[in-house]
Amino acid sequence: MTSKRGTVRYAPAVLLTAALVTATLSGCASTPSGATCLEPGDASNQVSATGKLGSEPNVSIPSPLYAPTTQVSTAIEGDGTELAGTEVVELAWSLYNGRTGEKIFATPYDDLKPASPSGMLPGMADALACHTVGSRLVATITPDKGFGDAGNPMYGVKADDTLVMVIDIENAYLGKSNGINMPVVQPGFPSVAVAPDGTPGLTIPTSPAPTEAKSALLKLGNGEKVTSSDTVLAQIQQASWNNQSITSSTWSDGSPKTIPMKEAPNELKDALKDTPVGSQVIVLVPTPDGDATIYVIDVLGVL
């Protein structure tokens, strides 16, 4: 990004390395809402995770521990919103090797970052569905839902090792726009089609790039309205008008962005101010080289 767009910030994904990233999620049981729910089992029930939510837990693992399936037990049950497994969440977590009982990694518990399911290990993403904000979960993750057949030699994880993850669910936001579709009556905008997971698809006109900034509301949400002092949590896809191509996307990165309204470019400020959470907007911003940057923004929440 250029310095002008430097105030649109990535919220770092809660991942160790790029080797953890996957977009394939699965589960073993379905609720009427369509969420996938993992059950507790002998392996996950054997792990002890004590301490207060929001602080690194004391974890005891009867190693070697191997789980035949990915399992999830609840160490602390929260009273917040129940997750469908599609939300952007703020988490703190600690990861262990079930074979050795040794800790692999722990996130900072005082500096939470929003992350999307697509930026998590499959077993981690699966574990969240059907649990509530404010909960601490113990997940025992099989290799196919963890690092895969190769394991992860960097962290001493062998191909058949079970991972043990203790997850604190601190907060949750929308994973995608949930607003009602709005007709775009202004001419000259790309058309946007949205996949079931929320990823936008663009059809960009072959006409010359616009020379003036403009925006339109694609979906109207019903959440609180963005103010000029808010920091907006958003899914953002950017594209080049002239190149007819996507240049960046939080949908593929697995990490949403934060947009501090006080520092954002004026084009984004104007498009987002007074927009309700749950909305989707499209913004066209001309660039000095005769191109235009296309932003499709899903407003997930305010921080």
Side-chain angles (χ1 to χ4, degrees), residues 169-189:
I169 308 172
E170 297 279 5
N171 212 336
Y173 304 91
L174 296 175
K176 62 180 181 179
S177 167
N178 64 353
I180 59 173
N181 293 326
M182 301 294 291
V184 178
V185 295
Q186 300 179 62
F189 280 92

Side-chain angles (χ1 to χ4, degrees), residues 155-301:
Y155 298 109
V157 178
K158 296 182 177 181
D160 61 347
D161 285 350
T162 291
L163 299 176
V164 177
M165 182 173 280
V166 180
I167 308 167
D168 286 7
I169 308 172
E170 297 279 5
N171 212 336
Y173 304 91
L174 296 175
K176 62 180 181 179
S177 167
N178 64 353
I180 59 173
N181 293 326
M182 301 294 291
V184 178
V185 295
Q186 300 179 62
F189 280 92
S191 62
V192 179
V194 178
D197 69 352
T199 304
L202 286 172
T203 301
I204 302 172
T206 56
S207 56
T211 56
E212 294 184 359
K214 56 183 178 179
S215 64
L217 186 66
L218 301 179
K219 292 179 182 288
L220 176 63
N222 61 1
E224 63 180 298
K225 291 185 177 181
V226 174
T227 72
S228 56
S229 61
D230 284 332
T231 293
V232 178
L233 180 67
Q235 298 277 23
I236 304 180
Q237 186 178 86
Q238 291 178 227
S240 163
W241 185 289
N242 288 347
N243 293 334
Q244 301 273 304
S245 62
I246 304 299
T247 56
S248 67
S249 174
T250 60
W251 298 101
S252 57
D253 295 340
S255 180
K257 288 183 179 181
T258 55
I259 307 173
M261 288 289 285
K262 288 184 176 180
E263 305 169 19
N266 288 333
E267 298 90 347
L268 297 190
K269 283 183 187 177
D270 293 343
L272 293 173
K273 188 174 184 298
D274 296 326
T275 298
V277 169
S279 299
Q280 182 183 72
V281 299
I282 185 169
V283 189
L284 308 182
V285 181
T287 57
D289 59 0
D291 198 357
T293 300
I294 306 162
Y295 295 86
V296 180
I297 304 173
D298 281 19
V299 181
L300 309 180

Side-chain angles (χ1 to χ4, degrees), residues 130-146:
C130 310
H131 294 282
T132 53
V133 172
S135 295
R136 168 172 287 170
L137 309 178
V138 176
T140 50
I141 301 172
T142 54
D144 63 314
K145 298 296 183 181

